[in-house]
Amino acid sequence: MWRDSFRLQIFCLLMAVLAIVVLVHNFFQLEHLDDDTVSGSNWITENNVQHSQTTKTTRKPYCGYKQQTLSKREQAEQESLLAAIQWPKPPSGKLAFLQSTDPARSDFVIVKPSGFFKVGDQLEVLVRMKDFQGKAKQYGGDYLQARIHSPLLKAGATGRIVDCHNGLYKVFFTLLWPGEVKVSVSLVHPSEAIQVLLRLREERPDRVYFKSSFKSGRYSETTECNVCLPGDLPVCNFTDLYTGEPWFCYKPRKLSCASRISHAKGGYQKGLLTQEESLFFQSDVNIKRPIFSSGPDSVIVKPKAFTDSSSMDRAEDHTVSPSGYYYEDEWRSRTHWIHRFNKSDDITNCLQGKVIHLFGDSTIRQWFEYLTAFVPDLVEFNLGSPKNVGPFMSVDLKHNILLKFRCHGPPIRFSTVFSSELRYIANELNGIVGGRNTVIAITIWSHFSTFPVEVYIRRLRNIRRSIIQLLDRSPKTLIVIRTANVQELGPEVSLFNSDWYSFQLDSVMRKMFSGIAVHFVDAWEMSLAHYLPHNLHPEEVIVRNQIDAFLSYVCPLQI
């Protein structure tokens, strides 16, 4: 019996030693993971390939924007906004590429090209669309851009396009300067491509994906994040408690949701188009291609007798089209007086004693960069923020000027943003006291182009509510909205950031902010009317004109 007891004790001791060895080994392995990242999204893929194949038809994305609870007024507004941007559709059924719009075979004509024109008159242009077989199109839905310009005068303005829904388009221009005025018309996307963009917006909001890093000690994981996450895997719910803005990440395998440390753009999905659909997106064929005139492409404009430049340049209706025009490379607004801030001292005198908040994306970060570079006494204070991400701050102690930039909350396609710096504009506005020395400029559009419009409407609704509350408590606070702008497009960029997506969002934004005490810098027309190539980040001459328009609201001319 003693021997059996001894053997049992020896066996238990050996098992205890073995358990200790295994525990120490695992602990050693965990400690030596160092900073290597374990990708949660890769783990999800590896462990669910077979499952996703067998349940593909039943797995649906969880989309936070579909879970909204709207008041009757909000629901009515949303339906009205969606109706306002509804786009004409081609006839039902698949259309072959050869039946799609061919800009090379299409043309335009100036109505009454030999007529007598003077400054202030309307010029009408008729655009006739044809397919790749040379046949006239019988339906509308193409997305066009048009402008008039005088290269020698560095003058330009946009036109108003009317779809006749039969393959014909009318373009109306207001002639705003004397001399020879040329007409330019471009096909941005054929109607057939627009239908593909519509499908992608509704069915593939995940075509840009995001990621977050989670870390505890020396162990970290990275998982995929988005407004919509497919499947039924566990998620971390990062929906904002104050605004209700939805945001989700797949839950890490071993770490808690509270261990999230950063947000970043993950990448762009590939293989979004069928082979036939890809034919509608060809750079030298049907993306931003010129449509040429079949006759004269210019008219001579005579000066207006007894011209009153003040009445010609400005109109009381802030929805006037165009909102302004270039002349000698300077933007002349038709809605408000613009002062030229050509000297740094002019800007310093305007901003003295003020706090300027810039909220949004990289297109308004350009304002921060321009002002900091142009004004010598405005010195950037190093906050240790990641380059091109922010937040950033510049200070002029001598003149008591504080300039700040902060990016908007997710979705944001920046490189790594610390989780603690992910702020929603609405929440930031709620924390601002406001007053006569507070200036706020906002832009938000580009990073929402891949999502259904409801996501964007929700974001603007929250921002608008905070603006109204801020103006209620501090009516003298100045708030300026920078609109979207056009950009260079190729086959891939078109699927994520097409001008058509931006145009739709910009239309929604203008409607939602109309009727409240905010001002607009029309970056859309300022980028489209200029002679320089389109660029997501406009060149300095365009940014300078945007700054002049912005500061003219801050320090209006005394007439």
Side-chain angles (χ1 to χ4, degrees):
M1 179 180 293
W2 179 84
R3 288 182 178 179
D4 291 339
S5 176
F6 179 78
R7 288 175 180 173
L8 181 61
Q9 290 176 0
I10 293 295
F11 176 78
C12 291
L13 180 62
L14 289 174
M15 291 299 293
V17 170
L18 180 62
I20 292 171
V21 170
V22 171
L23 181 62
V24 170
H25 175 75
N26 288 343
F27 182 78
F28 181 85
Q29 291 284 78
L30 184 60
E31 284 293 296
H32 284 76
L33 278 174
D34 200 41
D35 287 327
D36 293 338
T37 298
V38 180
S39 174
S41 55
N42 290 341
W43 169 74
I44 290 166
T45 303
E46 293 166 2
N47 287 274
N48 291 278
V49 171
Q50 185 174 357
H51 178 64
S52 63
Q53 289 174 345
T54 57
T55 61
K56 187 174 181 179
T57 57
T58 59
R59 292 165 66 85
K60 297 181 180 179
Y62 175 83
C63 291
Y65 72 90
K66 292 183 177 178
Q67 312 301 317
Q68 297 185 69
T69 301
L70 302 179
S71 67
K72 288 184 178 180
R73 175 180 289 184
E74 290 172 341
Q75 184 65 41
E77 180 189 41
Q78 180 164 293
E79 291 174 359
S80 175
L81 290 168
L82 294 175
I85 62 170
Q86 189 171 12
W87 203 260
K89 293 184 178 181
S92 58
K94 284 191 175 182
L95 289 167
F97 169 70
L98 293 178
Q99 295 174 289
S100 66
T101 306
D102 179 6
R105 287 179 169 82
S106 304
D107 65 10
F108 73 83
V109 293
I110 297 175
V111 178
K112 299 179 182 178
S114 58
F116 177 79
F117 295 99
K118 62 182 182 300
V119 171
D121 286 348
Q122 291 284 308
L123 178 66
E124 182 179 344
V125 170
L126 182 67
V127 186
R128 304 175 293 197
M129 308 305 258
K130 295 182 180 179
D131 64 21
F132 283 87
Q133 297 172 320
K135 297 179 181 178
K137 296 288 291 286
Q138 301 299 316
Y139 53 90
D142 300 298
Y143 177 44
L144 307 177
Q145 290 174 350
R147 70 185 183 106
I148 51 174
H149 55 108
S150 297
L152 293 178
L153 296 173
K154 294 186 177 180
T158 63
R160 181 173 61 88
I161 300 169
V162 177
D163 188 344
C164 299
H165 305 288
N166 58 2
L168 301 177
Y169 299 81
K170 292 181 179 180
V171 187
F172 298 94
F173 299 98
T174 301
L175 300 171
L176 295 164
W177 63 88
E180 183 181 9
V181 176
K182 296 178 178 291
V183 175
S184 292
V185 180
S186 297
L187 174 73
V188 181
H189 294 300
S191 55
E192 297 77 14
I194 297 296
Q195 298 310 303
V196 177
L197 296 179
L198 272 168
R199 176 183 66 78
L200 291 176
R201 187 170 69 185
E202 298 304 318
E203 298 179 5
R204 295 300 306 270
D206 62 337
R207 61 191 185 279
V208 174
Y209 58 95
F210 305 86
K211 60 184 180 181
S212 272
S213 292
F214 299 77
K215 189 172 183 179
S216 179
R218 303 175 71 183
Y219 176 74
S220 64
E221 297 184 50
T222 299
T223 69
E224 186 176 335
C225 307
N226 219 317
V227 173
C228 299
L229 287 177
D232 53 5
L233 293 166
V235 298
C236 293
N237 187 349
F238 294 115
T239 297
D240 185 67
L241 296 176
Y242 299 99
T243 63
E245 293 287 353
W247 194 253
F248 303 92
C249 297
Y250 286 122
K251 191 178 185 304
R253 284 184 294 173
K254 299 180 180 179
L255 298 177
S256 70
C257 295
S259 63
R260 182 176 67 150
I261 60 168
S262 66
H263 162 93
K265 178 184 72 176
Y268 299 89
Q269 299 284 4
K270 306 293 184 181
L272 297 169
L273 305 181
T274 65
Q275 186 173 358
E276 185 176 359
E277 287 175 335
S278 66
L279 297 176
F280 300 136
F281 297 91
Q282 302 181 67
S283 291
D284 297 326
V285 178
N286 50 17
I287 298 178
K288 282 206 174 180
R289 299 301 298 164
I291 296 174
F292 296 106
S293 173
S294 60
D297 65 353
S298 65
V299 296
I300 302 299
V301 181
K302 301 294 184 181
K304 188 175 182 179
F306 308 108
T307 298
D308 180 357
S309 62
S310 63
S311 63
M312 182 184 72
D313 285 358
R314 273 147 292 282
E316 293 184 7
D317 183 4
H318 284 245
T319 62
V320 66
S321 178
S323 67
Y325 63 99
Y326 283 105
Y327 191 80
E328 296 180 342
D329 236 1
E330 291 183 344
W331 182 254
R332 299 187 176 186
S333 173
R334 300 177 71 212
T335 62
H336 73 288
W337 292 93
I338 290 186
H339 174 48
R340 305 300 164 192
F341 294 83
N342 296 324
K343 299 178 181 179
S344 62
D345 287 348
D346 297 335
I347 297 179
T348 298
N349 292 335
C350 174
L351 298 181
Q352 185 164 355
K354 298 191 184 313
V355 178
I356 305 96
H357 302 267
L358 306 178
F359 295 114
D361 55 33
S362 56
T363 61
I364 206 165
R365 188 186 69 221
Q366 286 187 284
W367 290 14
F368 177 90
E369 293 165 346
Y370 177 90
L371 290 169
T372 301
F374 189 73
V375 180
D377 290 334
L378 201 54
V379 179
E380 183 172 358
F381 186 87
N382 186 3
L383 297 174
S385 302
K387 184 180 179 181
N388 298 331
V389 174
F392 301 123
M393 181 172 70
S394 290
V395 180
D396 179 350
L397 293 176
K398 181 179 178 181
H399 301 97
N400 195 26
I401 300 171
L402 177 60
L403 175 67
K404 303 168 72 175
F405 163 80
R406 180 177 290 279
C407 68
H408 63 71
I412 186 87
R413 298 179 210 147
F414 283 3
S415 56
T416 304
V417 183
F418 298 125
S419 298
S420 60
E421 299 294 354
L422 284 176
R423 314 278 183 84
Y424 290 96
I425 294 176
N427 293 339
E428 292 296 297
L429 293 175
N430 291 338
I432 294 175
V433 175
R436 66 170 67 249
N437 290 321
T438 300
V439 180
I440 297 168
I442 300 169
T443 193
I444 183 164
W445 55 280
S446 179
H447 298 257
F448 287 79
S449 57
T450 55
F451 295 96
V453 180
E454 292 91 336
V455 176
Y456 187 61
I457 293 174
R458 178 206 285 267
R459 184 64 56 91
L460 293 189
R461 188 187 299 122
N462 283 321
I463 294 173
R464 183 179 61 185
R465 182 184 301 114
S466 293
I467 287 176
I468 292 172
Q469 291 172 351
L470 174 56
L471 291 175
D472 279 345
R473 64 179 181 267
S474 301
K476 294 187 178 180
T477 305
L478 179 72
I479 300 177
V480 177
I481 307 294
R482 181 205 185 276
T483 73
N485 59 261
V486 297
Q487 68 177 90
E488 181 183 7
L489 295 179
E492 185 174 20
V493 175
S494 295
L495 306 184
F496 305 99
N497 253 46
S498 166
D499 279 357
W500 181 79
Y501 286 138
S502 302
F503 176 69
Q504 291 240 300
L505 297 182
D506 196 59
S507 300
V508 166
M509 184 274 296
R510 292 173 191 256
K511 289 180 181 296
M512 291 189 69
F513 285 105
S514 64
I516 62 176
V518 298
H519 304 281
F520 291 94
V521 171
D522 199 334
W524 185 268
E525 289 195 14
M526 295 172 82
S527 57
L528 182 55
H530 204 270
Y531 55 83
L532 284 174
H534 297 172
N535 194 326
L536 175 61
H537 300 106
E539 297 295 330
E540 183 174 307
V541 62
I542 299 177
V543 175
R544 173 175 58 79
N545 278 287
Q546 293 174 4
I547 293 293
D548 284 348
F550 167 57
L551 294 178
S552 294
Y553 287 124
V554 181
C555 304
L557 282 171
Q558 301 300 320
I559 305 300

